[in-house]
Amino acid sequence: MNEPIVIIGGGFGGVYTAKALLKKSYPVLLISETNYFTFTPLLHEVATGSLLSHDVIFEYETFFHHPAFEFVRGRVERIDRAQKRVWVDGEEMSYRYLVVATGSTTNFFKMQGTEHAYVLKDVEDAIKLKNAILSKAQDKDHHISVSVVGGGPTGVEIMFEVAEMLTSLRKKDPDLSFQLHLVHANEVLCGVDQASVQTYIHKAMEAVQITPVCSAFCERITPNQIVTTVGTFPSDVTIVASGVKPNTSVFARDIILDEQGHVPVTPELQVVEDQHMFALGDIIAIDGEPVPKLAQTATREAVVVAENIHRMETKRSLRTYKPEVVGMLFSLGFGKGVGVINGITIKGVLAWWLWRTVYLFKTPGVVNKLRVAFSWTLGLFQSRNLTEL
Ligand SMILES: Cc1cc2nc3c(=O)[nH]c(=O)nc-3n(C[C@H](O)[C@H](O)[C@H](O)COP(=O)(O)OP(=O)(O)OC[C@H]3O[C@@H](n4cnc5c(N)ncnc54)[C@H](O)[C@@H]3O)c2cc1C
């Protein structure tokens, strides 16, 4: 094979596809906007000082220590499917197969004032958010109000972590007061429609002074307020975690996208209009249905994409992928968690311990695993890191 398999996007989908292809010794060229992978499930802990930024990122070149691996840092801005080429910051690169895994961006829906919003998609966002909370909480007012828009897993986890971070700060500054609002479009938090799970989350929120504002839509964000369909609330720091949309606009003229911007793929994860092109992760819709936008689905799709490229090379029939979410676990601050695995509900310390164990094992690379384990162990004896960065 002369030309490499080009992978656009070094997130969960791209990295795990590269890993599976390199195992089969195929030449891989990974193109991504940064030179590191971000382990997003632990970002909320970076934003609140439980982990450090370097615990959750790793450099591609170190991770893929393989002669068949090449990395180019850059942004792909065009795909020429007829000539099998991509353009990276003005430079042309050829491919034998193309794999697209460019992830998603925050969906602000119709909110106004989003320039005042904080998001949590990468390490830079986490650092910005941490700095914003610390600088307001430690100013002369000794008061901060924080709102999260979006009661899905990301919104709920960051809200609990912020509550704990502010509680830690209050130990140092007893005058500090805070108000926390979690604004959610419906009544079901974390997307788990089980009464016992909902009761548990609501009780845990009450214990740490988080006020849920359910069945409400955020209409406008100002520097110190959040305007919703059910009322206006003080908010010095507003975090938007209301959902994501496919990050595909750059390819709109090169690939046919659906109305929401998903890349239509077959159950074999081939792009509908091009059998030498595969797509996976947050950007795809299989037979018209978007796939749950999760790391766990992206990593499973990666195995199928790599296997199907191998099968095409060896002229065998392709494997299909069936979207499946095995379970969901959420941390609700230190020592508390909740989740459902294979239909079984788990709550409390056990869920939290399982959550930590699962994510520790899923953290890629031995060095990062050790870093996370070390930071968490240190956190058992020492308060979180509350330095501005
Ligand atoms: C805060 C947070 C917490 C989360 N927690 C969980 C969780 O607990 N469990 C779970 O299963 N999922 C979780 N997710 C969702 C999970 O992170 C995503 O579903 C997953 O990352 C999708 O993988 P992906 O490969 O499609 O995209 P990503 O992992 O987002 O990777 C996309 C990559 O493409 C690169 N890129 C984009 N455009 C270009 C371009 N034009 N050229 C070159 N490179 C480009 C980006 O820089 C990025 O590296 C979380 C997400 C967030 C933000």
Side-chain angles (χ1 to χ4, degrees), residues 234-278:
S235 186
D236 301 309
V237 176
T238 302
I239 306 160
V240 175
S242 50
V244 291
K245 56 183 180 188
N247 180 18
T248 49
S249 54
V250 70
F251 308 124
R253 60 187 167 158
D254 308 318
I255 319 170
I256 296 170
L257 305 172
D258 74 7
E259 262 178 33
Q260 291 101 42
H262 294 104
V263 178
V265 296
T266 64
E268 291 80 15
L269 302 177
Q270 276 170 314
V271 173
V272 166
E273 49 186 331
D274 187 339
Q275 60 162 348
H276 284 92
M277 189 171 165
F278 290 80

Side-chain angles (χ1 to χ4, degrees), residues 146-161:
V146 180
S147 302
V148 172
V149 182
T154 304
V156 169
E157 287 190 332
I158 185 68
M159 185 86 273
F160 274 94
E161 276 291 319

Side-chain angles (χ1 to χ4, degrees), residues 265-270 278 286 304-305 308 318-321:
V265 296
T266 64
E268 291 80 15
L269 302 177
Q270 276 170 314
F278 290 80
I286 301 178
V304 175
V305 167
N308 282 347
L318 304 193
R319 210 180 124 180
T320 55
Y321 167 77

Side-chain angles (χ1 to χ4, degrees), residues 9 11-13 32-33 40 76 103 120 247 281-282 293-296 359:
F12 278 94
S32 205
E33 293 168 315
T40 51
V76 174
L120 192 59
N247 180 18
D282 285 358
K293 293 178 174 42
L294 291 169
Q296 58 169 300
Y359 284 109

Side-chain angles (χ1 to χ4, degrees), residues 10-32:
F12 278 94
V15 159
Y16 282 83
T17 304
K19 201 174 159 199
L21 286 168
L22 289 168
K23 247 190 200 165
K24 297 180 199 292
S25 294
Y26 285 104
V28 169
L29 169 62
L30 176 70
I31 306 169
S32 205

